[in-house]
Amino acid sequence: MQRTVAQAVTRVLAEAGVRRGYTVPGESFLGLLDAFTAEPGLTLVSTRHEGGASFMAEADGKLHGVPAVAMGSRGPGATNLSIGVHTAYQDGTPMVVLLGQVPSTKLGRESFQEVDLAALFAPLATSSAQASTAAEVPALVAEALARAAGRRPGPAIVSVPSDFWDEPFTDPIPVPHHESDDDLPDIAELAERVGAADAPVVIAGARDVASRRELIAAAEELGLAVYNGFRRQDCFPEDHPQYAGHLGLGVPGDQLKALERADLVLVLGMRLDEVTSQGFRFPLPGQEIVQVRSQVPRVLRELRAQSPARQRDWSVANAAVREFMTPPDTGTGQGVHPTDVVRALRRLAPADAVVTNDAGNFSGFVHRYWCFTQPRTQLGPCNGAMGYGVPSAVAAKLSAPERTVIAMVGDGGALMTGQEIETAIRHRAPVLVVVFQNGLYGTIALHQAKSQRQLAAVSIGAVDFAGWARGLGAAGFTVAARAELEPAIRAALREDRPSVIDVHTDPDVLTADTRLADFLEN
């Protein structure tokens, strides 16, 4: 059967399990848009900004473990996409990025919107290639799928000159050839090391349900303490008695004691990024590290089979976590306390609700007080990219429509990508967006205050987010006092369209333990 190159590409994607593509359409990939729309099993989502499209593709891949596709056009569109590509790279999220390039006859002449896209994305991706012939495009996409889901998952980029998409393609449809698992640890040796260790600890980063199930069984049978990696709090239940804590920002010393005394650390399904390693403090000298990047369920299953059962007492470590996660009396302030917002949402939302968070100080309240107990329930940017919260929620709802999806965002991030609420309206994805409005770029204000600098460029204007939401077609609610929280949340959760709750939070409360006034008075 003769197909176009674009039709061959979409068949490669569909046969590999890809289900959705996110884009702002561009003239440099018109043939791909045609083919994507016509391919059974593929859904094309048109977004309001390429940054939103790339965040959506990242969140889709993170939630399901299967790459989604982000598509963009030449220089402006591709550079707009880059924020979500960087997020996927640092988070280890499988993702395929297809970029329309200038026509092959105009390459290298600084043509209209031309950028060397393969070179631009090389530092941000697991692989980055530009097609030199039309015939090789489907194979490059198959290779990108394999690299995206490889031992280090991440974004894989393919740049395609615009005249290649409609060229005929008569070869067989290529399939991805995934990397072998020859880097798996020797299970018998690992079992011996776990059995001999006095204090073996796991840092969990594998988000899939099978890994989580096997990790719970291994922790209970082998006496392991388990930390969750940064913004991977759904990898191991936070109410489990062997849970040792979330290796995020602002972790207190008591919560790190189990990791400090560990003589064996198993890092599962992730890299030891800067935040998880607490500023690269861990591993400590003399600590033995075993890193398992792929086949985590298999490794844990075989480890259990070859290891004798053993109990170890982690009650002190767990008690430290319980104390840290216990909400304090929030008292009174200028606005609603962020802790009260998170706890009210937790009480009223289903246990398996998907929670997405933007970057910002407010997210620390989510990490500390939500208590993630169910799998596949957290989506957050490990690279700290602002603007993630709303697009990721839209993608989560589109890809898992049966789930309740809640985005928590600051007033800074809300206006970076909040226009994607219109995308949710158009695609009938009733997400709940909760805006923590304190009139500040709070993270930067905290850094300035801590270093005894003046507050500069951190004050932002008040916005009627409820009215803004209604202008986009969503339901809008305003909360200015704690007593108004639960009624607004209940009403928003009943809506069959996207909803925004504009919560006026106390601008003095920057973290659960820090008030801005404490620094400004000194």
Side-chain angles (χ1 to χ4, degrees):
M1 174 183 176
Q2 180 170 304
R3 298 179 173 91
T4 65
V5 166
Q7 289 169 335
V9 164
T10 55
R11 180 53 55 89
V12 169
L13 295 171
E15 290 183 354
V18 173
R19 290 295 173 261
R20 283 161 295 278
Y22 302 90
T23 190
V24 172
E27 67 270 31
S28 61
F29 56 103
L30 298 177
L32 180 61
L33 294 172
D34 290 342
F36 213 99
T37 303
E39 180 66 39
L42 294 184
T43 299
L44 185 63
V45 179
S46 177
T47 68
R48 302 310 298 257
H49 189 276
E50 291 91 349
S54 60
F55 278 144
M56 289 185 199
E58 194 279 342
D60 193 321
K62 182 180 288 180
L63 186 62
H64 299 285
V66 176
V69 177
M71 291 170 272
S73 183
R74 297 185 291 206
T79 50
N80 279 346
L81 277 174
S82 63
I83 187 170
V85 177
H86 181 256
T87 304
Y89 185 65
Q90 290 225 323
D91 286 31
T93 302
M95 177 178 175
V96 171
V97 181
L98 301 180
L99 302 174
Q101 181 57 287
V102 302
S104 59
T105 56
K106 297 181 180 179
L107 280 169
R109 301 168 65 182
E110 200 176 342
S111 301
F112 178 64
Q113 297 186 338
E114 183 180 5
V115 171
D116 185 344
L117 297 174
L120 174 69
F121 282 94
L124 306 180
T126 57
S127 68
S128 184
Q130 180 160 296
S132 57
T133 67
E136 69 179 343
V137 173
L140 287 175
V141 173
E143 181 181 355
L145 283 161
R147 294 294 297 273
R151 282 193 292 270
R152 174 173 174 163
I157 317 296
V158 181
S159 168
V160 180
S162 59
D163 53 317
F164 286 0
W165 296 113
D166 292 327
E167 288 293 305
F169 184 81
T170 57
D171 293 339
I173 297 296
V175 296
H177 296 288
H178 293 281
E179 298 170 299
S180 65
D181 293 316
D182 53 8
D183 63 339
L184 294 181
D186 182 304
I187 301 299
E189 179 185 352
L190 180 58
E192 184 177 337
R193 290 153 74 183
V194 170
D198 290 324
V201 165
V202 171
I203 298 176
R207 294 185 172 95
D208 61 284
V209 174
S211 292
R212 187 179 191 273
R213 181 176 60 246
E214 292 294 337
L215 176 56
I216 293 170
E220 293 172 350
E221 292 178 21
L222 307 182
L224 310 173
V226 182
Y227 287 90
N228 282 324
F230 180 46
R231 290 181 171 161
R232 295 170 182 258
Q233 292 172 263
D234 52 355
C235 294
F236 188 80
E238 294 192 307
D239 59 350
H240 195 283
Q242 283 163 248
Y243 179 57
H246 169 225
L247 293 173
L249 298 166
V251 180
D254 285 350
Q255 199 168 308
L256 295 173
K257 288 181 178 179
L259 188 55
E260 290 171 342
R261 72 183 184 93
D263 50 352
L264 176 64
V265 180
L266 306 180
V267 182
L268 304 180
M270 67 176 296
R271 66 187 180 94
L272 269 181
D273 61 84
E274 181 178 358
V275 178
T276 298
S277 66
Q278 303 297 286
F280 301 118
R281 179 186 169 202
F282 295 97
L284 299 174
Q287 282 186 327
E288 188 177 5
I289 297 288
V290 177
Q291 192 159 27
V292 181
R293 297 294 293 269
S294 62
Q295 297 292 317
V296 172
R298 172 187 162 190
V299 170
L300 290 173
R301 188 164 51 249
E302 294 182 8
L303 180 62
R304 289 169 51 214
Q306 298 186 39
S307 301
R310 182 172 173 180
Q311 297 300 309
R312 296 177 175 88
D313 184 6
W314 297 107
S315 58
V316 173
N318 188 253
V321 179
R322 299 275 76 78
E323 180 180 357
F324 181 69
M325 294 174 63
T326 300
D329 179 8
T330 54
T332 59
Q334 299 180 48
V336 181
H337 199 288
T339 299
D340 294 331
V341 181
V342 173
R343 294 310 298 162
L345 286 164
R346 187 68 174 94
R347 284 193 301 273
L348 298 175
D352 70 342
V354 178
V355 176
T356 80
N357 69 262
D358 215 285
N361 275 349
F362 76 91
S363 66
F365 296 91
V366 182
H367 302 329
R368 185 164 175 174
Y369 298 125
W370 186 265
C371 190
F372 291 86
T373 60
Q374 300 297 315
R376 299 285 195 190
T377 51
Q378 184 184 37
L379 296 172
C382 293
N383 67 337
M386 291 182 71
Y388 182 85
V390 173
S392 60
V394 176
K397 190 64 178 179
L398 289 173
S399 63
E402 75 285 359
R403 307 275 296 276
T404 297
V405 179
I406 302 170
M408 291 190 239
V409 302
D411 45 344
L415 287 189
M416 291 185 179
T417 55
Q419 69 272 14
E420 301 302 345
I421 289 172
E422 190 282 324
T423 304
I425 293 287
R426 191 166 11 99
H427 288 273
R428 296 179 175 85
V431 299
L432 169 57
V433 177
V434 181
V435 181
F436 293 66
Q437 181 169 194
N438 66 356
L440 284 173
Y441 288 123
T443 300
I444 309 307
L446 179 60
H447 283 300
Q448 290 172 341
K450 279 186 171 181
S451 57
Q452 298 181 324
R453 302 172 189 270
Q454 65 175 343
L455 298 186
V458 294
S459 294
I460 53 180
V463 175
D464 177 6
F465 282 102
W468 169 77
R470 289 189 287 269
L472 292 170
F477 305 86
T478 301
V479 171
R482 181 164 55 183
E484 299 169 354
L485 260 176
E486 291 205 8
I489 293 169
R490 291 182 189 277
L493 288 172
R494 288 194 297 267
E495 288 283 346
D496 59 358
R497 57 177 171 160
S499 301
V500 174
I501 303 178
D502 176 11
V503 185
H504 297 180
T505 59
D506 188 341
D508 192 40
V509 179
L510 293 185
T511 75
D513 306 304
T514 308
R515 302 185 76 88
L516 184 59
D518 296 339
F519 296 99
L520 300 181
E521 291 170 358
N522 295 329

